Amino acid sequence: GEIPQLFRVLQGLAGAYITRAEYRMAKELGEQLLTLAQNGQDPALLPQAHHVLGGALFYLGEFASAHTHLMRGIALYDPRQFRSDAFLYGAWVGCLGFAALALWYLGYPEQALQKIQQAIALAQELSNPYILTSALHFAAWLHLIRGEAHAALERVDAEIAISRDQGWPLYVSLATALRGWALVQLGQVEEGIAQIRQGLTAYRALGENGLSLMLSHSAAVFARLGRTEEGLTVLAEAFMVMEKNDERIYQAELYRLKGELLLSSAITGALEAETCFRQAVAIAQRQGAKSLELQAVVSLSRLWQQQGKQEEARQRLAEIYGWFTEGFDTADLQAARTLLHALS
């Protein structure tokens, strides 16, 4: 019946479930934590409950709900009251990191960057190695999906250095895979693929949290290189992991990548690829994931361009591109703008 003690136990259990990629259980525990926090007298519990629930919802692909909880958690933190408690401070940085990623998915890449910069600044101020490593991981992830490989490499190298010094193999494996993705973006293809494989091999022995995302990055590399069979093999595992864990953060992207790989396959036609692109668009729309919707529409529009459906492609792309109000210097929006001009 002791709320603070029960809260700590359930919070730890929720963290374990997230590491094991059991997000539904983590969500249920997050809801219990929120109820406990609302019934308790300790103001420090409520933002932590929002952090747990927001993180679980993020991995389930419920980006708008995740963002709502994370922003509530951020708003409730009082630095003057909580700064002396590294555990609470870490949850504050975690809220900022997850909120940054959720904002990117929801179509706000500039706001996402502002949040991650705030998370890094707070983590550096506290000088706690675990909190800083967590913030660096969020930052590397965000920079990569924004198409900023140099910035991602800087963050991920710092993450690896701290993690090796502290003896944290989970972060080393994750960061190694992200480093490989950055290297591929920078043109160091073979070294990048080797590091992606090294990171994934190590990570499979440690956990499954975010594994479908990591596998999708690997598949994207093979799609970019035209190595269709390797890409489809990795993608099949990503789909399996996604369904097993109900990990929906990159569900739309998995279908888009499948379409891209099928386009380069000699045994399938454009019809199956178009079906995949349409599925990707529908999933992204259902999730409110505007950034993923943009990527899927770009792939679909390129296919229609090749098929002579110029006007249909232009209208579809103009609609999603016109929705955005920020982030026009990011790689995805630049690619969309270039394609839109070619279709005009």
Side-chain angles (χ1 to χ4, degrees):
E2 297 284 347
I3 286 180
Q5 288 86 341
L6 178 59
F7 188 95
R8 284 283 177 263
V9 173
L10 294 179
Q11 187 177 29
L13 187 59
Y17 277 126
I18 287 180
T19 302
R20 289 164 52 90
E22 297 181 40
Y23 305 116
R24 293 289 173 191
M25 288 298 299
K27 179 185 175 183
E28 289 180 17
L29 287 169
E31 290 167 344
Q32 291 181 44
L33 288 169
L34 192 58
T35 299
L36 282 173
Q38 290 168 340
N39 292 336
Q41 301 298 314
D42 186 350
L45 298 184
L46 197 54
Q48 294 179 83
H50 284 299
H51 173 234
V52 171
L53 188 51
L57 288 166
F58 172 79
Y59 283 110
L60 289 166
E62 300 178 35
F63 302 119
S65 296
H67 177 254
T68 296
H69 282 285
L70 294 164
M71 293 304 293
R72 286 175 182 168
I74 292 166
L76 286 166
Y77 273 100
D78 183 350
R80 295 166 299 180
Q81 184 176 0
F82 301 149
R83 190 178 297 274
S84 61
D85 189 327
F87 195 86
L88 297 177
Y89 203 86
W92 186 18
V93 172
C95 277
L96 287 164
F98 272 122
L101 294 174
L103 281 163
W104 180 85
Y105 278 90
L106 292 168
Y108 301 100
E110 290 304 315
Q111 293 179 52
L113 189 60
Q114 291 167 8
K115 283 286 180 291
I116 209 65
Q117 288 170 342
Q118 186 180 358
I120 291 288
L122 289 170
Q124 289 173 334
E125 184 179 327
L126 190 66
S127 300
N128 178 291
Y130 187 81
I131 294 172
L132 180 56
T133 301
S134 177
L136 289 167
H137 186 73
F138 280 122
W141 184 352
L142 179 65
H143 284 305
L144 282 169
I145 56 181
R146 279 174 52 95
E148 299 162 342
H150 285 290
L153 201 58
E154 180 182 345
R155 297 303 192 189
V156 85
D157 282 345
E159 178 187 356
I160 289 172
I162 297 171
S163 299
R164 283 178 176 162
D165 182 63
Q166 296 291 325
W168 295 331
L170 187 71
Y171 271 122
V172 172
S173 61
L174 281 169
T176 300
L178 289 180
R179 191 175 197 279
W181 185 21
L183 289 175
V184 170
Q185 288 188 15
L186 293 171
Q188 301 176 44
V189 176
E190 293 306 321
E191 184 182 354
I193 290 174
Q195 292 204 11
I196 290 171
R197 285 174 170 162
Q198 179 187 341
L200 281 172
T201 299
Y203 186 59
R204 284 187 182 94
L206 298 168
E208 290 196 0
N209 170 231
L211 183 56
S212 69
L213 171 75
M214 307 305 292
L215 289 166
S216 75
H217 296 337
S218 183
V221 169
F222 291 126
R224 177 175 172 176
L225 299 174
R227 292 160 62 168
T228 304
E229 293 307 315
E230 290 172 281
L232 288 172
T233 299
V234 171
L235 208 55
E237 183 184 356
F239 273 109
M240 181 184 69
V241 169
M242 179 190 73
E243 293 298 338
K244 174 190 171 186
N245 298 337
D246 208 12
E247 187 172 86
R248 305 292 169 177
I249 47 175
Y250 244 34
Q251 184 179 10
E253 178 67 354
L254 294 184
Y255 279 100
R256 189 192 72 82
L257 288 171
K258 184 178 179 180
E260 293 287 358
L261 286 161
L262 290 173
L263 274 179
S264 62
S265 173
I267 59 173
T268 56
L271 183 60
E272 192 173 351
E274 181 173 346
T275 299
C276 288
F277 294 149
R278 288 183 179 274
Q279 285 178 295
V281 171
I283 292 165
Q285 288 177 335
R286 186 168 66 246
Q287 293 180 328
K290 289 295 184 179
S291 291
L292 295 184
E293 183 184 349
L294 176 70
Q295 292 175 344
V297 170
V298 165
S299 290
L300 182 60
S301 297
R302 282 178 178 149
L303 176 60
W304 284 346
Q305 181 187 35
Q306 294 168 9
Q307 295 173 336
K309 303 176 182 177
Q310 297 277 125
E311 183 56 24
E312 190 173 359
R314 188 196 65 78
Q315 289 181 2
R316 191 64 177 271
L317 184 56
E319 181 181 352
I320 180 63
Y321 183 81
W323 180 91
F324 283 83
T325 58
E326 62 179 64
F328 294 105
D329 60 337
T330 58
D332 287 338
L333 282 160
Q334 286 180 349
R337 182 170 63 249
T338 299
L339 180 57
L340 198 56
H341 288 163
L343 292 168
S344 300

